[in-house]
Coordinates of all heavy atoms in Angstrom, one line a residue:
L122 N 98.2 75.6 78.4 CA 99.3 74.7 78.0 C 98.5 73.5 77.5 O 97.9 72.8 78.2 CB 100.3 74.5 79.0 CG 101.3 73.4 78.7 CD1 102.3 73.9 77.7 CD2 102.1 73.0 80.0
F123 N 98.8 73.1 76.2 CA 98.3 71.8 75.6 C 99.4 70.8 75.8 O 100.5 71.1 75.4 CB 97.9 72.1 74.2 CG 96.7 73.0 74.0 CD1 96.9 74.4 73.9 CD2 95.4 72.6 74.0 CE1 95.9 75.3 73.8 CE2 94.4 73.5 73.7 CZ 94.6 74.9 73.7
I124 N 99.0 69.7 76.3 CA 100.0 68.6 76.5 C 99.5 67.5 75.6 O 98.4 66.9 75.8 CB 100.1 68.2 77.9 CG1 100.5 69.5 78.8 CG2 101.1 67.1 78.1 CD1 100.4 69.2 80.3
F125 N 100.4 67.0 74.7 CA 99.9 65.9 73.8 C 100.7 64.6 74.2 O 101.6 64.6 75.0 CB 100.2 66.3 72.4 CG 99.5 67.4 71.9 CD1 100.0 68.7 71.9 CD2 98.1 67.2 71.5 CE1 99.3 69.8 71.5 CE2 97.4 68.4 71.0 CZ 98.0 69.6 71.0
Q126 N 100.2 63.5 73.7 CA 100.7 62.2 74.1 C 102.1 61.8 73.4 O 102.9 61.1 73.8 CB 99.7 61.1 73.8 CG 98.5 61.1 74.6 CD 98.7 60.9 76.0 OE1 99.5 60.0 76.4 NE2 98.1 61.7 76.9
Q127 N 102.2 62.4 72.2 CA 103.4 62.2 71.4 C 103.8 63.4 70.5 O 102.8 64.1 70.2 CB 103.2 60.9 70.5 CG 102.1 61.0 69.6 CD 101.9 59.7 68.8 OE1 102.6 58.7 69.1 NE2 100.9 59.7 67.9
P128 N 105.0 63.6 70.3 CA 105.4 64.6 69.4 C 104.8 64.5 68.0 O 104.9 63.5 67.4 CB 106.9 64.6 69.3 CG 107.3 63.8 70.5 CD 106.1 62.8 70.7
K129 N 104.3 65.6 67.5 CA 103.7 65.7 66.1 C 103.8 67.2 65.7 O 104.0 68.1 66.5 CB 102.3 65.2 66.0 CG 102.2 63.7 66.1 CD 100.7 63.4 65.7 CE 100.6 61.8 65.8 NZ 99.2 61.4 65.6
V130 N 103.4 67.5 64.5 CA 103.3 68.8 63.9 C 101.7 69.1 64.1 O 100.9 68.8 63.3 CB 103.7 68.9 62.4 CG1 103.3 70.3 61.9 CG2 105.1 68.5 62.3
Y131 N 101.5 69.7 65.3 CA 100.1 70.0 65.6 C 99.7 71.4 65.2 O 100.3 72.4 65.4 CB 99.9 70.0 67.2 CG 100.0 68.6 67.8 CD1 101.2 68.3 68.4 CD2 99.0 67.7 67.6 CE1 101.4 66.9 68.9 CE2 99.2 66.4 68.1 CZ 100.3 66.0 68.8 OH 100.5 64.8 69.3
G132 N 98.6 71.5 64.4 CA 98.1 72.7 63.9 C 97.1 73.3 64.9 O 96.2 72.6 65.5
F133 N 97.1 74.7 64.9 CA 96.1 75.4 65.7 C 95.4 76.5 64.9 O 96.0 77.0 64.0 CB 96.9 76.1 66.9 CG 97.0 75.2 68.0 CD1 97.9 74.1 68.0 CD2 96.4 75.4 69.3 CE1 98.0 73.2 69.1 CE2 96.5 74.6 70.4 CZ 97.4 73.4 70.3
W134 N 94.2 76.8 65.3 CA 93.5 77.8 64.5 C 92.8 78.7 65.6 O 92.8 78.4 66.8 CB 92.4 77.2 63.6 CG 91.4 76.3 64.3 CD1 90.2 76.7 64.8 CD2 91.6 75.0 64.5 NE1 89.6 75.6 65.3 CE2 90.4 74.5 65.2 CE3 92.5 74.0 64.2 CZ2 90.1 73.2 65.6 CZ3 92.3 72.8 64.7 CH2 91.1 72.3 65.3
M135 N 92.2 79.8 65.1 CA 91.8 80.8 66.1 C 90.3 81.0 66.1 O 89.7 82.1 66.4 CB 92.5 82.2 65.8 CG 94.0 82.1 65.9 SD 94.5 81.9 67.7 CE 94.0 83.6 68.3
K136 N 89.5 80.0 65.6 CA 88.1 80.1 65.6 C 87.6 80.3 67.0 O 88.0 79.5 67.9 CB 87.5 78.9 64.9 CG 86.0 79.0 64.7 CD 85.4 78.0 63.9 CE 83.9 78.2 63.7 NZ 83.5 77.9 62.4
N137 N 86.5 81.1 67.2 CA 85.9 81.3 68.5 C 86.9 81.9 69.6 O 86.7 81.7 70.8 CB 85.2 80.1 69.1 CG 84.2 79.6 68.1 OD1 83.4 80.4 67.5 ND2 84.0 78.4 68.0
T138 N 88.0 82.5 69.1 CA 89.0 83.0 70.0 C 88.6 84.6 70.0 O 88.3 85.1 69.0 CB 90.4 82.8 69.6 OG1 90.5 81.4 69.5 CG2 91.4 83.4 70.6
F139 N 88.8 85.2 71.2 CA 88.3 86.7 71.4 C 89.5 87.6 71.2 O 89.2 88.8 71.0 CB 87.5 86.8 72.5 CG 86.3 86.0 72.6 CD1 86.2 84.8 73.4 CD2 85.2 86.3 71.8 CE1 85.0 84.1 73.4 CE2 84.0 85.5 71.8 CZ 83.9 84.4 72.6
I140 N 90.7 87.1 71.5 CA 91.8 88.1 71.5 C 93.0 87.5 70.7 O 93.0 86.3 70.6 CB 92.2 88.3 73.0 CG1 92.7 87.0 73.6 CG2 91.2 89.0 73.8 CD1 93.4 87.3 75.0
P141 N 93.9 88.3 70.2 CA 95.1 87.8 69.5 C 96.0 87.1 70.5 O 96.0 87.5 71.6 CB 95.7 89.1 69.0 CG 94.7 90.2 69.1 CD 93.8 89.9 70.1
L142 N 96.6 86.1 70.0 CA 97.5 85.3 70.8 C 98.9 85.0 70.1 O 99.0 85.1 69.0 CB 96.9 83.9 71.0 CG 95.5 83.8 71.8 CD1 95.0 82.4 71.8 CD2 95.7 84.3 73.2
D143 N 99.8 84.7 70.9 CA 101.1 84.2 70.5 C 101.0 82.6 70.7 O 100.5 82.2 71.8 CB 102.3 84.6 71.3 CG 102.5 86.1 71.0 OD1 102.0 86.7 70.0 OD2 103.3 86.8 71.8
I144 N 101.3 81.8 69.7 CA 101.3 80.4 69.8 C 102.7 79.9 69.8 O 103.5 80.2 68.9 CB 100.5 79.7 68.7 CG1 99.1 80.4 68.6 CG2 100.4 78.2 68.9 CD1 98.3 79.9 67.4
I145 N 103.1 79.1 70.9 CA 104.4 78.7 71.1 C 104.5 77.1 71.2 O 103.8 76.5 72.0 CB 105.0 79.2 72.4 CG1 104.9 80.8 72.4 CG2 106.5 78.8 72.6 CD1 105.2 81.4 73.7
W146 N 105.2 76.5 70.2 CA 105.4 75.1 70.2 C 106.7 74.7 70.8 O 107.7 75.3 70.6 CB 105.3 74.6 68.7 CG 104.0 74.6 68.0 CD1 103.1 73.5 68.0 CD2 103.4 75.7 67.3 NE1 102.0 73.9 67.2 CE2 102.1 75.2 66.9 CE3 103.8 77.0 67.1 CZ2 101.3 76.0 66.0 CZ3 102.9 77.8 66.3 CH2 101.7 77.3 65.9
I147 N 106.6 73.7 71.7 CA 107.7 73.3 72.5 C 107.9 71.8 72.4 O 106.9 71.0 72.4 CB 107.4 73.6 74.0 CG1 107.0 75.1 74.2 CG2 108.5 73.1 75.0 CD1 106.4 75.4 75.5
D148 N 109.2 71.3 72.2 CA 109.4 69.9 72.0 C 109.5 69.2 73.3 O 109.4 69.7 74.3 CB 110.6 69.8 71.0 CG 111.9 70.1 71.7 OD1 112.0 70.3 72.9 OD2 113.0 70.1 70.9
K149 N 109.8 67.9 73.2 CA 109.9 67.0 74.4 C 111.0 67.4 75.3 O 111.0 67.0 76.4 CB 110.0 65.5 73.9 CG 111.3 65.2 73.2 CD 111.3 63.8 72.7 CE 112.6 63.4 71.9 NZ 112.7 62.1 71.5
N150 N 112.0 68.1 74.8 CA 113.1 68.5 75.6 C 112.9 69.9 76.2 O 113.8 70.5 76.8 CB 114.4 68.6 74.8 CG 114.8 67.3 74.2 OD1 114.7 66.2 75.0 ND2 115.1 67.2 73.0
K151 N 111.7 70.4 76.0 CA 111.3 71.7 76.6 C 112.0 72.8 75.9 O 112.4 73.8 76.6 CB 111.2 71.7 78.0 CG 110.2 70.8 78.7 CD 110.2 70.9 80.2 CE 109.2 69.9 80.7 NZ 109.3 69.9 82.2
T152 N 112.2 72.8 74.6 CA 112.8 73.7 73.8 C 111.8 74.3 72.8 O 111.0 73.6 72.2 CB 114.0 73.2 73.0 OG1 115.0 72.6 73.9 CG2 114.7 74.2 72.2
I153 N 111.7 75.6 72.7 CA 110.9 76.3 71.7 C 111.3 76.0 70.4 O 112.4 76.1 69.9 CB 110.8 77.8 71.9 CG1 110.2 78.1 73.3 CG2 110.0 78.4 70.8 CD1 110.3 79.6 73.7
V154 N 110.3 75.3 69.5 CA 110.6 74.9 68.1 C 110.0 75.9 67.1 O 110.4 75.9 66.0 CB 110.3 73.5 67.9 CG1 111.2 72.6 68.7 CG2 108.9 73.2 68.1
D155 N 108.9 76.6 67.6 CA 108.3 77.6 66.7 C 107.5 78.6 67.5 O 107.0 78.2 68.6 CB 107.5 76.9 65.6 CG 107.3 77.8 64.3 OD1 107.6 79.0 64.4 OD2 106.7 77.3 63.4
I156 N 107.3 79.8 67.0 CA 106.4 80.8 67.6 C 105.7 81.5 66.5 O 106.3 81.9 65.5 CB 107.2 81.8 68.4 CG1 108.1 81.2 69.5 CG2 106.2 82.9 68.9 CD1 109.0 82.2 70.3
K157 N 104.4 81.6 66.6 CA 103.6 82.4 65.6 C 103.1 83.5 66.5 O 102.4 83.3 67.5 CB 102.4 81.7 65.0 CG 102.8 80.4 64.2 CD 103.6 80.7 63.0 CE 103.7 79.5 62.2 NZ 105.1 79.1 61.8
R158 N 103.5 84.7 66.1 CA 103.2 85.9 67.0 C 102.0 86.7 66.5 O 101.8 86.8 65.2 CB 104.4 86.8 66.9 CG 105.6 86.3 67.7 CD 106.9 87.2 67.5 NE 107.9 87.0 68.6 CZ 108.8 86.0 68.6 NH1 108.7 85.1 67.6 NH2 109.7 85.8 69.5
D159 N 101.3 87.2 67.4 CA 100.1 88.1 67.1 C 99.2 87.5 66.1 O 98.8 88.0 65.1 CB 100.6 89.5 66.6 CG 99.6 90.5 66.7 OD1 98.6 90.4 67.5 OD2 99.6 91.5 65.9
V160 N 98.7 86.3 66.4 CA 97.8 85.5 65.6 C 96.4 86.1 65.9 O 96.0 86.0 67.1 CB 97.9 84.0 65.8 CG1 96.8 83.3 65.0 CG2 99.2 83.5 65.6
L161 N 95.7 86.6 64.9 CA 94.5 87.3 65.1 C 93.2 86.3 65.1 O 93.3 85.2 64.6 CB 94.2 88.3 64.0 CG 95.2 89.3 63.8 CD1 94.9 90.2 62.5 CD2 95.3 90.2 65.1
P162 N 92.1 86.7 65.9 CA 91.0 85.7 66.0 C 90.4 85.6 64.6 O 90.5 86.5 63.7 CB 90.1 86.6 66.9 CG 91.0 87.5 67.6 CD 92.1 87.8 66.7
C163 N 89.7 84.4 64.5 CA 89.0 84.1 63.2 C 87.5 84.2 63.4 O 87.0 83.6 64.3 CB 89.5 82.8 62.6 SG 88.6 82.3 61.1
K164 N 86.9 85.0 62.5 CA 85.4 85.2 62.7 C 84.7 84.5 61.5 O 83.6 84.6 61.4 CB 85.1 86.6 62.7 CG 85.6 87.3 63.9 CD 85.3 88.7 64.0 CE 85.8 89.6 65.1 NZ 86.6 89.0 66.1
E165 N 85.5 83.9 60.6 CA 84.9 83.2 59.5 C 84.6 81.7 59.8 O 85.1 81.1 60.9 CB 85.9 83.3 58.3 CG 86.2 84.7 57.9 CD 87.4 84.8 57.0 OE1 87.9 83.8 56.5 OE2 87.9 85.9 56.9
E166 N 83.9 81.1 58.9 CA 83.6 79.6 59.2 C 84.8 78.7 58.9 O 85.1 77.8 59.7 CB 82.5 79.2 58.1 CG 82.0 77.8 58.4 CD 81.4 77.6 59.8 OE1 80.8 78.5 60.4 OE2 81.6 76.5 60.4
K167 N 85.6 79.1 57.9 CA 86.9 78.3 57.7 C 88.1 79.1 58.1 O 88.2 80.2 57.5 CB 86.9 77.9 56.2 CG 88.1 77.0 55.9 CD 87.9 76.4 54.6 CE 89.2 75.5 54.4 NZ 89.1 74.6 53.2
C168 N 88.8 78.7 59.1 CA 89.9 79.5 59.6 C 91.2 78.9 59.1 O 91.4 77.7 58.9 CB 89.8 79.5 61.1 SG 88.4 80.3 61.8
R169 N 92.2 79.8 59.0 CA 93.6 79.4 58.7 C 94.1 78.5 60.0 O 93.9 78.9 61.0 CB 94.4 80.7 58.6 CG 95.8 80.3 58.4 CD 96.7 81.6 58.2 NE 98.1 81.2 58.1 CZ 99.1 82.0 58.1 NH1 98.9 83.3 58.1 NH2 100.4 81.6 58.0
V170 N 94.8 77.5 59.6 CA 95.4 76.7 60.6 C 97.0 77.0 60.5 O 97.6 77.1 59.5 CB 95.3 75.2 60.2 CG1 95.9 74.3 61.2 CG2 93.8 74.8 60.1
Y171 N 97.5 77.2 61.7 CA 98.9 77.6 61.9 C 99.6 76.3 62.4 O 99.3 75.7 63.3 CB 99.0 78.7 63.0 CG 98.4 79.9 62.5 CD1 97.0 80.1 62.8 CD2 99.1 80.9 61.9 CE1 96.5 81.3 62.4 CE2 98.5 82.1 61.5 CZ 97.2 82.3 61.7 OH 96.6 83.4 61.2
Y172 N 100.7 76.0 61.6 CA 101.6 74.8 61.9 C 102.9 75.3 62.3 O 103.5 76.2 61.8 CB 101.6 74.0 60.7 CG 100.4 73.3 60.3 CD1 99.5 73.8 59.3 CD2 99.9 72.1 60.9 CE1 98.3 73.3 59.0 CE2 98.7 71.5 60.6 CZ 97.9 72.1 59.6 OH 96.7 71.5 59.3
P173 N 103.6 74.5 63.2 CA 105.0 74.7 63.5 C 105.9 74.2 62.3 O 105.5 73.3 61.6 CB 105.2 74.0 64.8 CG 104.3 72.8 64.7 CD 103.1 73.3 63.8
D174 N 107.2 74.6 62.5 CA 108.2 74.1 61.5 C 108.6 72.7 61.9 O 109.2 72.0 61.1 CB 109.4 75.0 61.4 CG 109.0 76.3 60.8 OD1 108.0 76.4 60.0 OD2 109.6 77.3 61.1
K175 N 108.5 72.3 63.2 CA 109.0 71.0 63.7 C 108.0 70.4 64.6 O 107.0 71.1 65.0 CB 110.3 71.2 64.5 CG 111.5 71.7 63.7 CD 112.7 71.8 64.4 CE 113.8 72.5 63.6 NZ 115.0 72.6 64.4
E176 N 108.1 69.1 65.0 CA 107.3 68.4 65.9 C 107.3 69.1 67.2 O 108.4 69.6 67.7 CB 107.6 67.0 66.0 CG 107.4 66.2 64.7 CD 107.5 64.7 64.8 OE1 108.3 64.3 65.8 OE2 107.0 64.0 64.0
A177 N 106.3 69.1 67.9 CA 106.2 69.5 69.4 C 105.4 68.6 70.2 O 104.5 67.8 69.8 CB 105.6 70.9 69.3
L178 N 105.6 68.6 71.5 CA 104.8 67.8 72.4 C 103.9 68.7 73.3 O 102.9 68.3 73.7 CB 105.8 67.1 73.4 CG 105.2 66.1 74.4 CD1 104.5 65.0 73.7 CD2 106.3 65.5 75.3
Y179 N 104.2 70.0 73.3 CA 103.4 71.0 74.1 C 103.2 72.2 73.2 O 104.1 72.5 72.4 CB 104.3 71.4 75.3 CG 104.9 70.4 76.2 CD1 106.2 70.0 76.0 CD2 104.1 69.7 77.1 CE1 106.7 69.0 76.8 CE2 104.7 68.7 77.9 CZ 106.0 68.3 77.7 OH 106.6 67.4 78.5
V180 N 102.1 72.8 73.5 CA 101.8 74.1 72.8 C 101.2 75.1 73.8 O 100.3 74.8 74.6 CB 100.7 73.9 71.6 CG1 100.5 75.2 71.0 CG2 101.3 73.0 70.6
L181 N 101.9 76.3 73.9 CA 101.4 77.3 74.9 C 100.9 78.4 74.1 O 101.5 79.0 73.1 CB 102.6 77.8 75.6 CG 102.4 78.8 76.7 CD1 101.5 78.3 77.8 CD2 103.7 79.3 77.3
E182 N 99.7 78.8 74.6 CA 99.0 80.1 74.0 C 99.1 81.2 75.0 O 98.7 80.9 76.2 CB 97.5 79.8 73.6 CG 97.5 78.9 72.4 CD 96.0 78.6 72.0 OE1 95.1 78.8 72.8 OE2 95.8 78.3 70.8
I183 N 99.6 82.3 74.7 CA 99.7 83.5 75.6 C 99.2 84.7 74.9 O 99.0 84.7 73.6 CB 101.0 83.7 76.1 CG1 102.1 83.9 75.0 CG2 101.5 82.5 76.9 CD1 103.5 84.2 75.4
N184 N 98.9 85.7 75.6 CA 98.4 87.0 75.0 C 99.4 87.5 73.9 O 100.6 87.4 74.2 CB 98.2 88.1 76.0 CG 97.0 87.8 76.9 OD1 96.3 86.9 76.7 ND2 96.8 88.6 77.9
A185 N 98.9 88.0 72.9 CA 99.8 88.5 71.8 C 100.7 89.6 72.3 O 100.3 90.4 73.1 CB 98.9 89.1 70.7
G186 N 102.0 89.4 71.9 CA 103.0 90.4 72.3 C 103.7 90.0 73.6 O 104.9 90.5 73.8
L187 N 103.3 89.1 74.3 CA 104.0 88.6 75.4 C 105.3 87.9 75.2 O 106.3 88.0 75.9 CB 103.2 87.7 76.4 CG 102.2 88.4 77.3 CD1 101.4 87.4 78.1 CD2 102.9 89.3 78.2
S188 N 105.3 87.2 74.0 CA 106.6 86.5 73.6 C 107.7 87.4 73.3 O 108.9 87.2 73.6 CB 106.3 85.5 72.6 OG 105.9 86.1 71.4
D189 N 107.3 88.6 72.7 CA 108.2 89.6 72.5 C 108.7 90.3 73.8 O 109.9 90.6 74.0 CB 107.7 90.7 71.5 CG 107.7 90.2 70.0 OD1 108.5 89.3 69.8 OD2 106.9 90.8 69.3
E190 N 107.8 90.6 74.6 CA 108.0 91.2 75.9 C 109.0 90.4 76.8 O 109.9 90.8 77.5 CB 106.8 91.5 76.8 CG 106.0 92.7 76.2 CD 104.7 92.9 77.1 OE1 104.8 92.7 78.4 OE2 103.7 93.3 76.6
M191 N 108.7 89.0 76.7 CA 109.6 88.1 77.4 C 110.8 87.7 76.7 O 111.6 86.8 77.1 CB 108.7 86.9 77.7 CG 107.6 87.2 78.7 SD 106.4 85.9 78.9 CE 107.4 84.5 79.5
N192 N 111.0 88.2 75.4 CA 112.1 87.9 74.6 C 112.3 86.4 74.3 O 113.5 85.9 74.4 CB 113.4 88.5 75.2 CG 114.5 88.6 74.1 OD1 114.3 88.8 72.9 ND2 115.9 88.5 74.6
L193 N 111.2 85.8 74.0 CA 111.2 84.3 73.7 C 111.5 84.1 72.2 O 111.0 84.9 71.4 CB 109.8 83.7 74.0 CG 109.4 83.7 75.5 CD1 108.0 83.2 75.6 CD2 110.4 83.0 76.4
N194 N 112.4 83.2 72.0 CA 112.8 82.9 70.6 C 113.0 81.4 70.4 O 113.1 80.6 71.4 CB 114.1 83.5 70.3 CG 114.0 85.1 70.3 OD1 113.4 85.6 69.4 ND2 114.6 85.7 71.3
V195 N 112.9 81.0 69.2 CA 113.1 79.6 68.8 C 114.5 79.2 69.3 O 115.4 79.9 69.2 CB 113.0 79.4 67.2 CG1 113.4 78.0 66.9 CG2 111.6 79.6 66.8
G196 N 114.6 78.0 70.0 CA 115.8 77.5 70.5 C 116.0 77.8 72.0 O 116.8 77.1 72.6
D197 N 115.1 78.7 72.5 CA 115.1 78.9 74.0 C 114.5 77.7 74.7 O 113.6 77.1 74.3 CB 114.3 80.1 74.3 CG 114.9 81.4 73.9 OD1 116.1 81.4 73.5 OD2 114.2 82.5 73.9
G198 N 115.1 77.4 75.9 CA 114.6 76.4 76.8 C 113.5 77.0 77.7 O 113.6 78.2 77.9
V199 N 112.5 76.2 78.1 CA 111.5 76.6 79.0 C 111.4 75.7 80.1 O 111.9 74.5 80.0 CB 110.1 76.8 78.3 CG1 110.2 77.8 77.2 CG2 109.7 75.5 77.7
E200 N 110.8 76.2 81.2 CA 110.6 75.3 82.4 C 109.2 75.4 82.8 O 108.7 76.5 82.8 CB 111.6 75.8 83.6 CG 113.0 75.4 83.4 CD 113.8 75.7 84.6 OE1 113.2 75.6 85.7 OE2 114.9 76.1 84.5
F201 N 108.6 74.3 83.1 CA 107.3 74.3 83.7 C 107.2 72.9 84.4 O 107.9 72.0 84.2 CB 106.2 74.4 82.7 CG 106.2 73.4 81.5 CD1 105.5 72.3 81.6 CD2 106.8 73.9 80.3 CE1 105.5 71.4 80.5 CE2 106.8 73.0 79.3 CZ 106.1 71.8 79.3
Y202 N 106.3 72.9 85.4 CA 106.2 71.7 86.2 C 104.7 71.3 86.2 O 103.8 72.1 86.2 CB 106.6 72.1 87.7 CG 108.0 72.6 87.7 CD1 108.3 74.0 87.7 CD2 109.1 71.7 87.8 CE1 109.6 74.5 87.7 CE2 110.4 72.2 87.8 CZ 110.6 73.6 87.7 OH 111.9 74.1 87.8
M203 N 104.5 70.0 86.1 CA 103.2 69.4 86.1 C 103.0 68.7 87.4 O 103.8 67.9 87.8 CB 103.0 68.5 84.9 CG 103.1 69.3 83.6 SD 102.9 68.2 82.2 CE 104.4 67.3 82.1
Y204 N 101.9 69.0 88.1 CA 101.6 68.4 89.4 C 100.6 67.3 89.2 O 99.7 67.3 88.4 CB 101.1 69.4 90.3 CG 102.1 70.5 90.6 CD1 102.1 71.6 90.0 CD2 103.1 70.2 91.6 CE1 103.1 72.6 90.2 CE2 104.1 71.2 91.8 CZ 104.1 72.4 91.1 OH 105.0 73.4 91.4

């Protein structure tokens, strides 16, 4: 879970990543604002950057396919606790 100081349109890329991931952007109200599914690792020097459709405060990366298995969709609320 990436936690940012303020909501923005944060881009993510897959350089030096070894497995495909689902990238989930979550806003300050803990609502999913975008999901990029099955994003493949990048082995090139210049990698594609994935951007959400809306600003987010949190970004969660999980194994590819888990967002479908968990039936996660844009607009869903999420819960997590920070200690």
